[in-house]
Amino acid sequence: MSDQACASGADAGVQEDLACTLLSKHFGEFAAVDGVSFSIPRGAFFSILGPSGCGKTTLLRMLAGFQQPDSGDILIKGKSVLNTPPNKRPVNMVFQHLALFPTMSVAENIAYGLKRKGIPKREHATLIDEVLAKVHLPGYGDKRIDQLSGGQKQRVAIARCLVLNPAVLLLDEPLGALDLKLREQMKIELKRLQREFNTTFVYITHDQSEALVMSDQVAVMNKGRFEQVGTPQELYYQPKTAFVAGFVGNSNQYAGKVQSQSGDLVTLVTEQGVRLLSHASQPLVAGSPITLFVRPEVMQLSTSRPATEQDNCLAVTVSRVLFDGAQSRVQVETAEGAELTVALPQTADFQALEAGRSVHVSWQASQCLCFPAPVDTKPLGTP
Amino acid sequence: MSKANGNFNRTQYRLGFFLLLAPIVLWLSLLIILPHIDMVLVSLRERIASRQYGFSFSNYTAFFTEPLYWNTFVRTAVMSIVATVLTLLIAFPVSFYIAKVLTGRPRIALFILCLLPFWVSELVRTYGWMILLRETGLISGALQWFGLADQPVEMLYNDVAIMVGLIYTSMLFMVVPLVTTLDSLDNSLIEAGYDLGGSSWNVMRSIVIPHAMPGIMSGCIVVFMLTLGNYLTPTLLGGKSSLWFTEQIYTQFITRFNWEQGAAFGILLLILSSLIVWLGLKITRQSFTRVMS
């Protein structure tokens, strides 16, 4: 069944710049990439999000051709590239530390690829000027690499690849080395460049905000497999596995046990003995261990008990105020000792909130999710 | 009060600075600068009578008028340059293999293998080559045994034997700086070179060699100096016909007891090596400070 789906995906490959079928790579006993299949529509910004060591770099290096998969196939524009060496593949890569050639100027860095592609020398200057203008670095051709700032180096590294018009541009966490302000700017800049060049981008990162802000599609990767592929909204609001729920966005996580289930609604008791109601998308056995995920921003903070009936309402004490401008949060504790982190509304009511105050937090069952636990001992390979 | 204290600290600091500097200053002045000044003075005098000397350029004019001296000088320079280039050509692939292809234990093992011959003295190593190359030696014997030669073959006492010995002696001094610079080359630069469409030759020429240039030059300078000033290897492997300039110097000082002429030759050799190193740096557009750092 799944094989058939993959095959039809390959046939329809004309519309796809990049497709992989059941790609695997093992290092000894360790499965770095384990049966990954996906296809990326033309001109999409596709991110692979995962913790370090999940196999995303190995996957990217296989796409670039620096590593050979043990099994599976890679199709670029509908053609298998397994036997194509990296210097012949129509993909280019922006390396983690950019790998600009320090012995060459900016223009020489860009010209390197043009020369290898056999483009006549007289056309180089125009092409280089054009691409530098597109990345907002006009007139930088004669600069040495060590004269550039971090953000400018990023742009040169991207220009060096995009001038070659690759079918797919691979990006290996290129924003990791930048400071926060610059990273925010570059996120928007990368998205703009991707639109402007209309090239398929495959971006790998461990930073969920980078993936969510820029991507059309995000694949969440864990232990060599794709946990879920979807739009950023789907991953955030409808995570399919506990791993995705925990990894994408911030969540309060609680271990607990199922008490009863009726339809989508589950009654559960956390380890600290707090009884809560939650939404669940799968049937759960009473008494089985589960993990509950509640996002800080879905919880309502109120100084008195809310007037309308809420599925979950807890009387808590403020233990700490974590001020961070618009992202400010409050840590609160229930009488049973369960800790919660709640988003702090930027309203006058809570300006004077301080540790020791008694408040209420409430949220609807539909706004939280629970998954069977424990996550870690879930054997690999089970669907 | 605090000012006096500051002064005291400063004096102490300066004292420490001079004490630490003292060994290198003493070494340079007593062992390098003073002997060379004396050598210049000795080379510029002429014996008029017993224990009577006068100022003269005659030692230098003798060098330019006597073809043997002049030819030996040029021959030594050319042979040294050839030996340096050949050493580089052999050492570069070896170094690249050690620095970029191997990892972990095999890498250390191969590096030690390069180092191992230098645990025995140069004299013993050169005798090793003589055992192999002489008329009754191993290679000659093997050639006869296989029927490739019908009489003993003498492979010593020619230019090839000298060249082999010189390259063998210099290898390590080329491999070490090359491995160090190639090691500092980020692997992702090589991968980027391939990723942007380059062939192995493109990557080597545009990325690896430009990066390794300081290492190549510092290795070449060291090997060239050692080869030019080598006495043992050309004498033993080249025999009487080796015509190495250091032998001329030795003959003047020891055999003919003509210190004035020997000193002049020494100075000329120093000028020659400085000139060639300077030229090499000019041609490859490398700066001496960058190469030596």
Side-chain angles (χ1 to χ4, degrees):
Chain A
M1 175 65 200
S2 73
D3 277 354
Q4 232 172 13
C6 290
S8 67
D11 287 340
V14 191
Q15 283 307 308
E16 284 153 3
D17 273 339
L18 179 66
C20 289
T21 46
L22 294 170
L23 208 59
S24 292
K25 176 78 186 173
H26 294 255
F27 295 110
E29 286 290 290
F30 176 69
V33 175
D34 192 5
V36 167
S37 301
F38 63 93
S39 66
I40 303 172
R42 180 155 300 172
F45 197 122
F46 186 86
S47 288
I48 298 167
L49 173 66
S52 45
C54 72
K56 56 188 193 302
T57 303
T58 309
L59 178 58
L60 200 74
R61 290 176 63 80
M62 286 196 284
L63 298 179
F66 296 123
Q67 247 147 13
Q68 201 62 20
D70 295 335
S71 61
D73 200 0
I74 302 167
L75 304 164
I76 294 173
K77 297 218 184 254
K79 266 187 271 174
S80 173
V81 291
L82 279 193
N83 297 316
T84 314
N87 53 355
K88 299 274 192 291
R89 287 195 191 190
V91 295
N92 288 117
M93 182 153 159
V94 177
F95 287 79
Q96 189 165 17
H97 302 293
L98 306 178
L100 294 171
F101 307 132
T103 49
M104 304 180 196
S105 70
V106 170
E108 284 168 339
N109 262 282
I110 299 172
Y112 176 87
L114 292 175
K115 275 187 220 161
R116 305 291 99 85
K117 229 183 159 191
I119 290 167
K121 205 156 194 174
R122 61 197 136 77
E123 290 169 31
H124 286 189
T126 349
L127 285 169
I128 292 168
D129 287 348
E130 259 174 42
V131 80
L132 281 177
K134 274 191 186 167
V135 297
H136 293 176
L137 286 176
Y140 273 69
D142 293 332
K143 296 244 180 200
R144 286 199 320 273
I145 297 303
D146 55 17
Q147 289 175 308
L148 303 179
S149 71
Q152 290 170 339
K153 282 183 192 165
Q154 297 275 346
R155 289 158 199 261
V156 174
I158 293 163
R160 185 174 76 169
C161 292
L162 287 180
V163 77
L164 302 173
N165 281 319
V168 180
L169 183 70
L170 308 171
L171 300 107
D172 182 6
E173 302 197 48
L175 304 188
L178 298 181
D179 60 62
L180 192 70
K181 267 261 159 61
L182 205 53
R183 200 151 61 209
E184 295 302 320
Q185 282 176 20
M186 278 310 289
K187 278 184 208 168
I188 300 163
E189 184 73 16
L190 268 176
K191 187 72 193 155
R192 179 186 71 79
L193 284 170
Q194 191 258 332
R195 285 268 160 75
E196 206 163 302
F197 284 87
N198 200 25
T199 305
T200 307
F201 276 36
V202 178
Y203 187 95
I204 68 167
T205 180
H206 63 267
D207 183 319
Q208 39 142 329
S209 137
E210 286 176 18
L212 296 181
V213 169
M214 294 190 283
S215 316
D216 301 316
Q217 290 263 303
V218 182
V220 179
M221 198 172 180
N222 184 32
K223 293 180 180 164
R225 304 178 137 262
F226 277 5
E227 294 265 339
Q228 188 177 355
V229 185
T231 64
Q233 287 82 355
E234 280 168 12
L235 294 177
Y236 195 83
Y237 294 116
Q238 293 125 36
K240 281 187 184 145
T241 66
F243 179 81
V244 177
F247 196 73
V248 179
N250 293 314
S251 281
N252 292 294
Q253 292 186 24
Y254 296 100
K257 279 204 165 68
V258 178
Q259 210 169 45
S260 64
Q261 185 176 24
S262 64
D264 281 353
L265 207 63
V266 177
T267 312
L268 57 103
V269 181
T270 72
E271 275 176 349
Q272 291 88 0
V274 187
R275 174 184 299 229
L276 296 167
L277 288 173
S278 168
H279 174 86
S281 49
Q282 69 229 81
L284 297 162
V285 183
S288 66
I290 50 135
T291 312
L292 176 75
F293 294 91
V294 196
R295 300 220 182 266
E297 70 270 18
V298 305
M299 289 189 268
Q300 300 270 331
L301 201 62
S302 52
T303 42
S304 57
R305 193 167 254 296
T308 53
E309 185 58 35
Q310 299 278 328
D311 292 338
N312 297 298
C313 184
L314 302 172
V316 293
T317 320
V318 175
S319 50
R320 215 168 282 122
V321 178
L322 307 169
F323 181 77
D324 184 17
Q327 288 92 44
S328 298
R329 285 158 302 147
V330 200
Q331 283 187 335
V332 295
E333 208 177 301
T334 64
E336 293 90 346
E339 282 231 331
L340 287 166
T341 304
V342 188
L344 180 64
Q346 299 294 301
T347 55
D349 292 358
F350 303 104
Q351 291 280 312
L353 200 66
E354 55 188 21
R357 282 276 298 275
S358 292
V359 287
H360 286 86
V361 288
S362 54
W363 68 93
Q364 297 292 353
S366 59
Q367 290 174 307
C368 58
L369 280 162
C370 62
F371 294 97
V375 186
D376 293 337
T377 54
K378 184 178 124 187
L380 270 175
T382 53
Chain B
M1 177 67 193
S2 75
K3 197 180 170 189
N5 200 5
N7 275 343
F8 175 70
N9 268 344
R10 201 147 145 195
T11 326
Q12 218 177 23
Y13 169 76
R14 289 181 69 169
L15 185 69
F17 175 74
F18 284 118
L19 277 177
L20 288 171
L21 199 67
I24 183 85
V25 169
L26 284 176
W27 183 61
L28 272 176
S29 57
L30 289 179
L31 297 172
I32 312 273
I33 298 172
L34 275 182
H36 274 85
I37 291 173
D38 191 50
M39 208 151 84
V40 172
L41 293 177
V42 169
S43 75
L44 285 173
R45 68 184 190 185
E46 189 186 17
R47 211 170 83 152
I48 302 161
S50 175
R51 297 183 180 223
Q52 272 210 314
Y53 298 97
F55 179 84
S56 153
F57 281 111
S58 64
N59 297 313
Y60 290 95
T61 48
F63 169 79
F64 288 105
T65 47
E66 171 59 56
L68 177 70
Y69 296 156
W70 177 237
N71 287 342
T72 311
F73 191 70
V74 173
R75 180 185 139 82
T76 309
V78 171
M79 288 274 281
S80 298
I81 292 171
V82 172
T84 308
V85 171
L86 287 176
T87 311
L88 176 64
L89 290 181
I90 298 169
F92 195 85
V94 175
S95 311
F96 190 82
Y97 193 73
I98 293 176
K100 286 287 148 212
V101 181
L102 293 180
T103 48
R105 274 178 164 282
R107 181 194 152 112
I108 296 165
L110 199 67
F111 199 65
I112 289 175
L113 274 182
C114 284
L115 187 79
L116 215 57
F118 290 79
W119 287 8
V120 295
S121 84
E122 194 186 346
L123 190 67
V124 177
R125 264 181 288 142
T126 312
Y127 271 120
W129 275 111
M130 293 177 77
I131 291 167
L132 287 177
L133 296 178
R134 67 184 168 174
E135 221 174 335
T136 52
L138 277 175
I139 296 179
S140 171
L143 285 175
Q144 289 175 74
W145 193 82
F146 282 114
L148 292 168
D150 44 14
Q151 58 183 26
V153 189
E154 177 62 274
M155 273 173 272
L156 275 179
Y157 314 124
N158 57 42
D159 286 358
V160 178
I162 300 179
M163 201 52 88
V164 166
L166 288 174
I167 293 170
Y168 182 70
T169 312
S170 319
M171 207 53 156
L172 183 74
F173 301 98
M174 190 66 93
V175 167
V176 170
L178 281 181
V179 167
T180 315
T181 43
L182 287 174
D183 220 19
S184 69
L185 174 65
D186 189 352
N187 280 336
S188 65
L189 286 178
I190 298 177
E191 286 180 348
Y194 282 113
D195 187 68
L196 294 166
S199 62
S200 295
W201 163 247
N202 296 143
V203 171
M204 197 48 87
R205 218 189 68 92
S206 316
I207 296 154
V208 178
I209 291 178
H211 176 91
M213 214 53 209
I216 292 175
M217 279 318 286
S218 74
C220 283
I221 289 173
V222 172
V223 168
F224 177 74
M225 299 277 200
L226 285 174
T227 313
L228 198 70
N230 200 330
Y231 175 76
L232 204 63
T233 310
T235 312
L236 288 180
L237 295 178
K240 287 224 163 65
S241 61
S242 66
L243 290 177
W244 209 253
F245 200 65
T246 46
E247 286 169 12
Q248 291 291 344
I249 300 176
Y250 178 87
T251 313
Q252 295 301 336
F253 272 105
I254 308 297
T255 317
R256 299 177 57 180
F257 216 69
N258 187 350
W259 278 46
E260 290 73 27
Q261 189 66 61
F265 284 178
I267 296 297
L268 284 168
L269 195 65
L270 179 69
I271 294 170
L272 174 74
S273 63
S274 312
L275 204 70
I276 292 179
V277 167
W278 178 80
L279 262 176
L281 288 169
K282 272 281 156 231
I283 290 167
T284 54
R285 294 200 210 116
Q286 296 286 313
S287 81
F288 191 68
T289 40
R290 192 165 154 233
V291 165
M292 285 297 145
S293 65

